[in-house]
């Protein structure tokens, strides 16, 4: 009888111990799962979270996109696009350099003086020769110059210049429409293309 009682006691003790061990394992397992999940989601959040621009910057980019008719993001040079938007519609005037009237090189010199703090030559031919390293269309980036011939027969000497923006578009002062945004793919400019220019 004594042996039977001892056996029962040992059995109950082992059963409780085993149950407790199983519960400990379960708790440990659940803890590991929760810790791993929180680590993963924290990593994923850090990895994919947007850098976050101030609301005012986002709003300005959206406003400029609407005003200029092109997709402008927070990562573009918003000072450049805002400057261009303020000059859109300015009439063309030969040798002009103000909002009362401006020619192509006058517009470009204003852009570079205001946005990049650089003084450029006053004629398109001199800009390409003195201020720029020549580049092709595939190398163009925001703020580069684009040169064309617009007088007489085909020429390697530019008579028109604009400021490259993005997606094939450039800002310039045309003789017929004043300051506008055009596309390099337009037949008129495609035929008269000379070179791109990266300002030194």
């Amino acid at each position: 009888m004594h042996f039977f009682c001892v056996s029962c006691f040992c059995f109950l003790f082992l059963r409780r111990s085993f149950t407790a061990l199983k519960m400990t394992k379960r708790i440990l397992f659940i803890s590991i799962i929760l810790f791993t999940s929180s680590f993963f989601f924290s990593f994923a959040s850090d990895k994919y979270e947007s850098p976050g621009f101030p609301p005012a910057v986002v709003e300005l980019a959206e406003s400029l996109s609407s005003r200029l008719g092109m997709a402008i993001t927070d990562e573009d040079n918003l000072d450049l696009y805002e400057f261009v938007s303020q000059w859109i519609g300015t009439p063309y005037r030969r040798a002009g350099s103000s909002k009362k009237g401006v020619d192509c090189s006058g517009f470009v010199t204003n852009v570079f003086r205001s946005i990049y703090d650089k003084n450029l030559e006053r004629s398109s031919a001199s800009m390409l020769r003195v201020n720029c390293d020549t580049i092709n269309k595939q190398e163009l980036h925001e703020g580069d110059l684009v040169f064309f011939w617009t007088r007489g027969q085909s020429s390697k000497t530019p008579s028109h210049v604009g400021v490259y923006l993005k997606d094939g578009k450039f800002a310039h002062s045309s003789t017929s429409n004043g300051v506008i945004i055009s596309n390099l793919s337009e037949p008129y400019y495609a035929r008269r293309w000379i070179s791109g220019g990266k300002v030194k």
Side-chain angles (χ1 to χ4, degrees):
M1 183 67 179
H2 178 73
F3 176 76
F4 176 76
C5 292
V6 171
S7 298
C8 289
F9 175 78
C10 290
F11 173 76
L12 291 173
F13 176 77
L14 290 174
R15 183 179 177 183
R16 288 182 180 178
S17 299
F18 182 71
T19 302
L21 181 61
K22 285 189 1 183
M23 184 62 69
T24 302
K25 285 183 178 180
R26 287 177 183 172
I27 293 173
L28 180 61
F29 178 74
I30 292 172
S31 299
I32 291 173
I33 292 295
L34 291 175
F35 175 78
T36 304
S37 299
S38 64
F39 176 79
F40 173 78
F41 285 116
S42 174
F43 173 78
S45 175
D46 290 342
K47 184 176 181 180
Y48 296 108
E49 185 178 356
S50 168
F53 292 92
V57 175
V58 175
E59 186 176 329
L60 177 58
E62 292 175 350
S63 174
L64 289 171
S65 296
S66 176
R67 283 148 58 185
L68 297 177
M70 56 189 299
I72 300 169
T73 72
D74 318 52
E75 297 179 352
D76 292 319
N77 185 340
L78 298 186
D79 289 337
L80 171 61
Y81 289 95
E82 186 168 27
F83 185 90
V84 169
S85 73
Q86 293 169 354
W87 281 73
I88 291 291
T90 299
Y92 178 87
R93 179 179 294 175
R94 184 176 177 80
S97 59
S98 72
K99 288 186 178 179
K100 293 181 178 180
V102 66
D103 63 8
C104 64
S105 57
F107 172 68
V108 170
T109 55
N110 270 292
V111 170
F112 269 78
R113 188 181 304 115
S114 299
I115 304 302
Y116 301 107
D117 195 27
K118 290 185 178 182
N119 293 313
L120 304 183
E121 297 293 317
R122 188 57 178 81
S123 73
S124 54
S126 296
M127 284 181 190
L128 180 57
R129 186 180 68 254
V130 176
N131 301 128
C132 296
D133 292 321
T134 59
I135 55 177
N136 58 43
K137 286 183 181 180
Q138 291 69 38
E139 296 174 304
L140 288 171
H141 288 94
E142 182 184 84
D144 290 335
L145 301 185
V146 288
F147 296 92
F148 311 87
W149 60 270
T150 56
R151 300 172 190 162
Q153 300 298 316
S154 177
S155 172
K156 291 185 179 180
T157 301
S159 53
H160 189 63
V161 62
V163 180
Y164 187 76
L165 300 175
K166 63 186 295 188
D167 301 329
K169 295 182 178 181
F170 65 101
H172 64 123
S173 181
S174 71
T175 55
S176 55
N177 297 304
V179 177
I180 58 173
I181 293 175
S182 299
N183 199 304
L184 294 175
S185 63
E186 294 175 29
Y188 180 85
Y189 297 108
R191 288 195 304 269
R192 290 166 172 76
W193 168 264
I194 293 179
S195 173
K198 187 167 292 295
V199 176
K200 301 173 184 176

